[in-house]
């Protein structure tokens, strides 16, 4: 099954507040996806603490299916992100490579 990367950057104006409000629902949603998510986590500012976005590696049947999955994210629905890029990727190196 194809693998897709979601690279999501928070809005610079108000994104942090929206992120904090939507975080519990976002985490619940992400956990509910089980093995669909191969890797996920926050993107951090240079201070190593402040969350400024999210990155996901997910399996989906197509780019359209990946976009639909991204649209279900409570962060997306709450308007946290100012920019979302979704690209198909091929896992070449590293632990956890899909069979």
């Amino acid at each position: 099954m194809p693998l897709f990367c979601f690279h999501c950057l928070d809005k610079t104006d108000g994104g942090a507040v929206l992120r904090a409000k939507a975080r519990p629902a976002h985490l619940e949603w992400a956990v509910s996806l089980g093995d669909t998510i191969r890797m996920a986590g926050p993107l951090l500012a240079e201070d190593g603490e402040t969350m400024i976005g999210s990155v996901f590696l997910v399996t989906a049947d197509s780019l359209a299916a990946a976009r639909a999955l991204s649209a279900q994210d409570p962060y997306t629905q709450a308007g946290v992100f100012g920019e979302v890029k979704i690209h198909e990727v091929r896992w070449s190196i590293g632990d956890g490579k899909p069979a």
Side-chain angles (χ1 to χ4, degrees):
M1 182 168 300
L3 187 65
F4 295 88
C5 178
F6 299 177
H7 185 267
C8 313
L9 295 176
D10 294 359
K11 291 179 181 175
T12 56
D13 184 21
V17 171
L18 294 171
R19 172 179 281 274
K21 287 182 181 178
R23 187 168 168 77
H26 165 78
L27 293 174
E28 184 178 316
W29 168 79
V31 168
S32 78
L33 295 176
D35 290 343
T36 297
I37 295 181
R38 301 294 297 170
M39 176 274 168
L43 296 170
L44 303 175
E46 290 181 13
D47 65 13
E49 298 293 327
T50 306
M51 291 183 242
I52 59 168
S54 299
V55 66
F56 294 85
L57 289 179
V58 303
T59 55
D61 290 329
S62 64
L63 180 57
R67 287 181 176 148
L69 186 63
S70 175
Q72 296 170 8
D73 183 345
Y75 280 168
T76 300
Q77 294 175 354
V80 171
F81 302 131
E83 181 179 7
V84 175
K85 293 184 179 182
I86 301 174
H87 297 279
E88 186 172 355
V89 298
R90 291 194 184 101
W91 194 314
S92 296
I93 299 170
D95 292 340
K97 181 179 177 180

